[in-house]
Amino acid sequence: MPKEGPKEGPGKGPGKGSRKGPRTAIAGGGIGGLATALSLARHGHDVVVLERRDCFTELGAGIQLGPNAFHALDVLGVGDVVRERAVHIDELRFMDGTTGEKVVSMPLTGAYRARFDNPYAVVHRIDLYEPLLAACRAEPSVQLRNDCSVAAYEQDAGGVTVRLTSGELIHADALIGADGINSTVRRQLVGDGPPQVSGHTIYRSVIPMEQVPEELRWNTVTLWAGPKWHFVHYPIGGGEFFNLAATRDDAATEAVLGVPVRRDRVLAEFPSLGTTARRLLELGRDWKSWVLCDRDPVDRWTDGRVVLVGDAAHPMLQYAAQGACQALEDAVVLGELAGTEPADFAQRFEKFNAERRERTAATQLLAREMGRQLYHPAGEAAKARNAMLRALSEDDLYGKVQWLHGGRAGTASAPGAVPVVRATA
Ligand SMILES: Cc1cc2nc3c(=O)[nH]c(=O)nc-3n(C[C@H](O)[C@H](O)[C@H](O)COP(=O)(O)OP(=O)(O)OC[C@H]3O[C@@H](n4cnc5c(N)ncnc54)[C@H](O)[C@@H]3O)c2cc1C
């Protein structure tokens, strides 16, 4: 379960070791910020991560990681630890939540592993975050600073000045905005207003696995799709916990972040669930709710020596289970592309932007479409969806996810080498 991380010490500038590389400030110490810190440090940068919270930790429950995430984690040197803590599931299973019938499943063992060369796995968020944090703490060129909320930046030919809400000024050669969907850096850089509210409320609960009846302990990510709702569950925490996430298209108009909800209210929101799905939903306790947001893709997320990564650059709904995976890819590609010459940063960040724009935009739009067209249809549209999915062979299914799960960020790791995000056969 999530733990409080120890507080990090204050510091005066980027990096905690000797200043040898360019000084790079990163706003935000989430998955994207830490992965980017690690990647840039390994490519010769002297990095300071500025996190507004009072400690470095990750909130929330389970997260799915595709092989593309593991390829990125391998490049960052933490793939083995995350693989060890992850649950390597056997299949992605798509169920009709009303009739209870299995529609289709995509096996994730044998041919899938051979094709993508890494697992599709599920982890508790902290089991992804902690290895990244430990690697940053062990890296002499990364300094972690909590209680540092970035308010604004200014830049000139000499570099970037980051202003914190405390009034402190931090001088750096570059600034990376990894400060999430409500990014302050993005507000100044892109200026596209608040995120779009999805109108979908997600209820999440994590329970000990021993509370799940044995016959329901499937080693799968299972999704039950119903009219204007869907319900996903899978094991996490090395199999010790069971993660439940039920989503309703209820036209919610305001963003909500982790607000406790009564169990009877959650159950009342999903009246048309079939028997097995209902049994599983009833297991949930201590539910919390979120109303999720995303943004339209934008072409440009650089401004001179300032660049965005992760949710700050391309926030997406969780339906493709790729937000963190894409943030990890960003980190690897930026590390390989940035170089160490401050005078080149503007041009190199633009190249990073160009390398990442199309792939991340396609993922943002895919996530929206999956919610609308796959997960929430009713009546005849649901029947047509089921027929379409049933007609897909295993090979068809692998072909459909190839471009996403087969992405390999950073196949070259030498400083200055050309980065690659390509789909593998
Ligand atoms: C319900 C749900 C399920 C999901 N499931 C999956 C999944 O299965 N697979 C997947 O790959 N992705 C999934 N995602 C998406 C994934 O969680 C995000 O894409 C990922 O966490 C983004 O990481 P990030 O570091 O870019 O942003 P964040 O995690 O938002 O981190 C931003 C950090 O910046 C800090 N910060 C904010 N403002 C400032 C500031 N002004 N100054 C300093 N610090 C600041 C914040 O405190 C935070 O620590 C899911 C998301 C949700 C909500």
Side-chain angles (χ1 to χ4, degrees), residues 169-170 194 348 369-370 385 400 406 415:
L169 299 179
I170 292 173
R348 283 175 172 264
E369 282 316 298
M370 286 175 83
R385 172 206 60 204
K400 285 199 175 291

Side-chain angles (χ1 to χ4, degrees), residues 26-36 49-66 68-69 120-123 125 128-129 145 147-152 163-165 177-185 187 202 204 234 243 245 247 257 290-293 309-328 330:
I26 298 182
I31 290 163
L34 293 190
T36 303
V49 183
L50 305 165
E51 167 56 49
R52 75 172 167 195
R53 288 194 298 223
D54 64 357
C55 67
F56 280 79
T57 191
E58 177 77 8
L59 305 172
I63 193 164
Q64 305 176 45
L65 296 175
N68 55 320
Y120 190 101
V122 286
V123 291
R125 269 165 192 275
L128 168 62
Y129 188 81
R145 293 191 56 190
D147 286 319
C148 290
S149 184
V150 170
R163 182 162 52 79
L164 304 184
T165 51
D179 46 348
I181 189 168
N182 292 303
S183 167
T184 301
V185 181
R187 194 182 314 139
I202 177 167
R204 300 164 90 195
Y234 48 84
N243 185 74
T247 302
L257 273 182
W290 279 257
V291 173
L292 299 174
C293 301
V309 295
D311 276 8
H314 39 69
M316 57 189 76
L317 298 177
Q318 78 277 22
Y319 301 148
Q322 277 287 327
C325 301
Q326 293 302 314
L328 293 167
D330 281 352

Side-chain angles (χ1 to χ4, degrees), residues 349-369:
F349 290 172
E350 278 185 21
K351 179 145 174 52
F352 163 77
N353 191 158
E355 291 276 345
R356 296 294 297 154
R357 180 176 51 217
E358 201 180 319
R359 178 170 172 80
T360 53
T363 315
Q364 285 175 285
L365 299 176
L366 172 77
R368 275 188 193 164
E369 282 316 298

